[in-house]
């Protein structure tokens, strides 16, 4: 067992929601516009449906192996060698998720607000805060996230709803090729988009610490649905405001669409000033979940008693990997192949295992 359960289903809801929204509004949109034009929302809907299925599978597997995280039950099911290889693959995927999202966030925050701020200072602040929270234990960083959860929800409403005033939904028409061509979706970049709601897969490491509840599936489905609405808005709103062709030429279309809205009745007239605060809190969520999952996986693989030193090492390694800027195009290429590998490890293989368990259970009856 991994110790007593410390997370309520409500706390899991917020962890799942904000880590699933992640930095997705700034990672994939330009590519989707380039390939699909005003039909860029189609892969988002497909990813949502696939994630609902993956969530169902993950919860069934977690319930089958109560008290065990993914590393522990994979060693039990697949054997020492195959299970270790699979577990290492998942741990690397979960870690790189945080690293790639940190690259995206740094590009965004420097581009939009902190033009002259040292990259090193931003990283020291973020990684230092995350390492400190994680070193204090699971309950501390979960409660920290819960403290800002409602403010984040309000912030997301303030960011998205005012943009509707400038939206022209006729920009989403007509619904024609290449949106309807199946061959279009076979491109690696679009297949990779199916893995954009990856925050939900932290359940494989957090489930042993979630208090038992008959409604966990309902909480999870609700969080994914809200995350889907937020990400869908981030894809659709720039199209309705700028048109798909112009939006595809922007570095951060969603950030630029925010700049079209003014709220004179607020002390802060431009909502673009609110976005760095929102995404800074969200990146802390993401890094906490990513590094926690990674540290817990390494701890289980190496059969260690404590993980604080692992967290410190991960913090230093993350700082070293992200301290030097990398071109957005290079980061995106790595993200595409990472997403394909992540989808295989966290969607395909668990679905295959669930099918085997279901067949065996049926045969036993």
């Amino acid at each position: 067992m991994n110790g007593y359960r410390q997370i309520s289903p409500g706390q899991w809801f917020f962890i799942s929601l904000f880590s699933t929204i992640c930095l997705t509004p700034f990672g994939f949109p330009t590519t989707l516009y380039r390939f699909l034009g005003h039909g860029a929302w189609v892969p988002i809907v497909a990813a949502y449906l696939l994630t609902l299925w993956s969530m169902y599978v993950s919860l069934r597997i977690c319930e089958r192996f109560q008290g065990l995280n993914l590393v522990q039950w994979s060693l039990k099911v697949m054997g020492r060698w195959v299970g270790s290889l699979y577990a290492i693959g998942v741990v690397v995927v979960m870690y790189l998720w945080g690293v790639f999202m940190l690259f995206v966030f740094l590009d965004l925050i420097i581009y939009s607000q902190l033009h002259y701020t040292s990259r090193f200072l931003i990283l020291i602040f973020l990684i230092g805060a995350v390492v400190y929270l994680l070193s204090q234990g699971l309950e501390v960083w979960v409660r920290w996230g819960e403290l800002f959860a409602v403010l984040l929800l309000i912030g997301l409403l303030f960011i998205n709803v005012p943009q509707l005033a400038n939206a022209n939904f006729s920009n989403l028409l007509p619904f024609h090729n290449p949106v309807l061509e199946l061959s279009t979706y076979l491109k690696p970049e679009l297949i990779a988009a199916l893995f954009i709601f990856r925050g939900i897969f932290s359940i494989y490491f957090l489930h042993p610490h979630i208090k038992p509840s008959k409604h966990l599936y309902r909480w999870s489905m609700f969080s994914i649905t809200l995350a889907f609405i937020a990400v869908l808005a981030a894809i659709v709103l720039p199209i309705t405001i700028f048109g798909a062709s112009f939006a595809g030429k922007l570095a951060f279309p969603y950030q630029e669409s925010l700049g079209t809205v003014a709220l004179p009745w607020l002390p802060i007239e431009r909502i673009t000033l609110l976005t760095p605060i929102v995404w800074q809190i969200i990146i802390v969520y993401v890094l906490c979940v990513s590094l926690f999952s990674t540290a817990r996986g390494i701890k289980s693989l190496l059969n260690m008693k404590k993980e604080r030193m692992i967290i410190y090492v991960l913090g230093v390694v993350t700082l070293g990997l992200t301290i030097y800027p990398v071109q957005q195009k290079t980061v995106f290429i790595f993200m595409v192949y990472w997403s394909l590998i992540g989808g295989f490890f966290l969607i395909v293989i668990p679905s295959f295992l669930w099918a085997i368990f279901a067949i065996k259970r049926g045969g036993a009856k």
Side-chain angles (χ1 to χ4, degrees), residues 60-248:
R60 290 295 170 263
I61 292 178
C62 289
E63 289 168 2
R64 182 183 179 91
F65 299 102
Q66 284 286 345
L68 302 180
N69 62 42
L70 180 142
V71 172
Q72 294 167 325
W73 62 251
S74 63
L75 293 173
K76 184 176 181 180
V77 172
M78 303 179 191
R80 180 179 178 83
W81 295 107
V82 175
S84 295
L85 289 174
Y86 173 66
I88 290 171
V90 171
V91 168
V92 171
V93 167
M94 294 301 293
Y95 175 66
L96 290 180
W97 169 44
V99 172
F100 287 138
M101 292 304 100
L102 186 52
F103 269 115
V104 173
F105 171 78
L106 287 169
D107 287 340
L108 171 66
I109 197 68
I110 292 172
Y111 168 84
S112 62
Q113 295 289 330
L114 306 179
H115 309 290
Y116 305 108
T117 304
S118 166
R119 184 184 184 94
F120 179 75
L121 286 178
I122 299 173
L123 283 170
I124 285 293
F125 172 76
L126 277 177
I127 297 176
V130 169
V131 168
Y132 174 77
L133 287 172
L134 291 174
S135 67
Q136 298 305 301
L138 177 62
E139 285 186 314
V140 172
W141 70 263
V142 168
R143 287 176 179 173
W144 175 91
E146 191 176 27
L147 178 66
F148 289 97
V150 175
L151 292 176
L152 273 180
L153 285 175
I154 295 172
L156 288 172
L157 284 174
F158 267 106
I159 286 171
N160 289 300
V161 173
Q163 293 186 68
L164 296 174
N166 297 328
N168 179 5
F169 288 94
S170 64
N171 288 340
L172 297 173
L173 299 173
F175 196 73
H176 59 62
N177 293 338
V179 179
L180 299 178
E181 292 181 0
L182 182 61
S183 60
T184 303
Y185 299 95
L186 299 179
K187 294 180 172 61
E189 294 88 345
L190 297 184
I191 296 175
L194 296 176
F195 191 59
I196 59 174
F197 298 117
R198 48 254 175 180
I200 191 68
F201 297 110
S202 62
I203 189 70
Y204 285 121
F205 295 93
L206 287 169
H207 190 272
H209 306 285
I210 300 177
K211 297 174 184 177
S213 173
K214 296 185 295 183
H215 306 299
L216 187 58
Y217 179 84
R218 190 179 303 171
W219 281 105
S220 301
M221 184 176 68
F222 187 34
S223 73
I224 292 175
T225 301
L226 285 182
F228 161 69
I229 293 172
V231 173
L232 186 66
I235 299 295
V236 170
L237 286 173
I239 299 175
T240 61
I241 293 173
F242 300 122
S245 59
F246 183 74

